[in-house]
Amino acid sequence: MSALKRIPLAGVIGSPIAHSKSPRIFKHWLTKLGIPGYYIPMEVSSVDLEDALRHLPQLGFSGVNVTIPHKEHALGLADQVSDRAAVIGSANTITFLADGKIYADNTDGYGFVENLKQNAPTWKAGAGPAAILGAGGAARAVIASFIESGAAEIRLANRTRSRADALRREFGIKVKVFDWVQVGNMLDGAKTVVNATSLGMVGKSEMRVPLDGLSKDAVVTDLVYAPLETPLLAHANSIGCETVDGLGMLLYQAAPGFERWFGMTPTVDDALRTAVLR
Ligand code: NAP
């Protein structure tokens, strides 16, 4: 009797999870590549996270993405951790190894850099100072990716300064902390500007930053992707800066997991953007 063919399975775990765009990304790639697999959104509470991660391999799952609020917790539960997940301090891509062990990776920094490389082809992390607004989980991934990509100076401002100071202590002397009210000065001479706060998102306050000191050759990007053109990007566009929206980061960070779990390399293109935005 021939062995039953295994149906490739992966998914995303978070709480809440209904808003997640990841199932659309994976469905698009599975359909396009003709893979008879499934990617399932799963609402899991913090107390159940460990049980879920230990049992999913037995149910045939190859891996899962992990999103808010489980990214740090998932890293702590892993049996093996990638270098970049250790540096970022959280996991978003979990792969179940052949023996059922949990391998944790973080692809947010990869997604961030790939989005800039693909959508602002002349952009270079080492071209000059990077200015980052925000000091939460996403900012950690952005700082780590700038350091890995060769940035010499990373300027950081956060509403709660102590969180930015903590990142300065952790990531070292390349990080220079500015007061939140000094953001205008922080942008002076910056070559990349990143909004890694939730300001500008639908339903949140607008990001109000004086861009007077910003040079036209700076690339401005926003991690917020709803709306696609945030007030910060619209303002930066109006003064002639190149801008890159945050949707690409979301799309690129999903690719390494897809490749690991479903065995084929997916592409990020306009058809995917359209499918995700539909
Ligand atoms: P987080 O850990 O909760 O951090 C939130 C950040 O926003 C903190 O720096 C916080 O400052 C700041 N903030 C919130 N409200 C603010 C306000 N009213 N004024 C000034 N600063 C404010 O969240 P996160 O995971 O880092 O995510 C940050 C943003 O990035 C979210 O919008 C998220 O959706 C987006 N994101 C996008 C992608 C992508 O693929 N495009 C990936 C990850 C995250 P305090 O420290 O002072 O509270």
Side-chain angles (χ1 to χ4, degrees):
M1 201 170 72
S2 66
L4 279 177
K5 251 194 159 173
R6 203 185 127 259
I7 298 170
L9 288 179
V12 57
I13 291 180
S15 184
I17 200 61
H19 70 285
S20 172
K21 292 196 183 298
S22 295
R24 291 189 194 191
I25 300 174
F26 279 75
K27 189 174 178 203
H28 177 84
W29 283 334
L30 287 168
T31 307
K32 188 175 169 198
L33 294 168
I35 299 172
Y38 294 91
Y39 181 89
I40 300 162
M42 290 169 275
E43 171 98 27
V44 174
S45 67
S46 289
V47 284
D48 293 329
L49 182 65
E50 181 163 12
D51 273 353
L53 292 178
R54 294 289 169 203
H55 286 108
L56 283 169
Q58 295 164 17
L59 299 176
F61 279 75
S62 303
V64 283
N65 288 122
V66 179
T67 187
I68 290 168
H70 301 318
K71 287 178 161 192
E72 286 85 12
H73 190 183
L75 186 79
L77 295 172
D79 302 301
Q80 291 179 32
V81 171
S82 71
D83 289 349
R84 59 190 179 184
V87 170
I88 294 169
S90 67
N92 73 340
T93 305
I94 300 286
T95 300
F96 302 122
L97 304 177
D99 56 3
K101 289 215 163 106
I102 296 170
Y103 174 72
D105 190 11
N106 193 315
T107 63
D108 277 337
Y110 163 80
F112 171 75
V113 168
E114 204 56 26
N115 187 33
L116 284 175
K117 279 188 187 164
Q118 298 299 330
N119 292 302
T122 57
W123 174 82
K124 294 239 173 335
I132 302 172
L133 301 136
R140 296 179 65 94
V142 170
I143 294 169
S145 67
F146 267 110
I147 290 175
E148 197 192 339
S149 307
E153 182 181 337
I154 298 155
R155 302 173 180 173
L156 188 60
N158 193 50
R159 176 182 60 176
T160 310
R161 180 172 169 131
S162 57
R163 291 184 85 188
D165 287 334
L167 292 184
R168 156 80 177 72
R169 284 194 294 278
E170 207 173 313
F171 284 97
I173 54 162
K174 285 186 174 180
V175 177
K176 296 185 171 38
V177 176
F178 286 68
D179 280 332
W180 188 241
V181 289
Q182 297 289 314
V183 165
N185 297 346
M186 178 172 91
L187 301 190
D188 209 346
K191 293 290 187 224
T192 319
V193 178
V194 185
N195 175 32
T197 75
S198 47
L199 287 173
M201 193 191 280
V202 172
K204 303 259 178 177
S205 315
E206 206 174 289
M207 164 72 74
R208 293 183 195 280
V209 181
L211 300 185
D212 313 344
L214 191 61
S215 144
K216 277 195 182 73
D217 62 2
V219 174
V220 181
T221 187
D222 204 318
L223 268 48
V224 169
Y225 53 80
L228 269 185
E229 187 179 61
T230 60
L232 173 69
L233 294 186
H235 190 179
N237 252 323
S238 74
I239 62 166
C241 291
E242 188 168 11
T243 60
V244 177
D245 70 53
L247 183 62
M249 174 176 171
L250 181 77
L251 306 181
Y252 283 107
Q253 63 77 32
F258 185 93
E259 189 164 349
R260 252 171 241 160
W261 307 327
F262 296 107
M264 290 176 86
T265 307
T267 45
V268 172
D269 53 19
D270 285 346
L272 176 64
R273 281 178 70 92
T274 307
V276 170
L277 291 170
R278 197 174 292 141

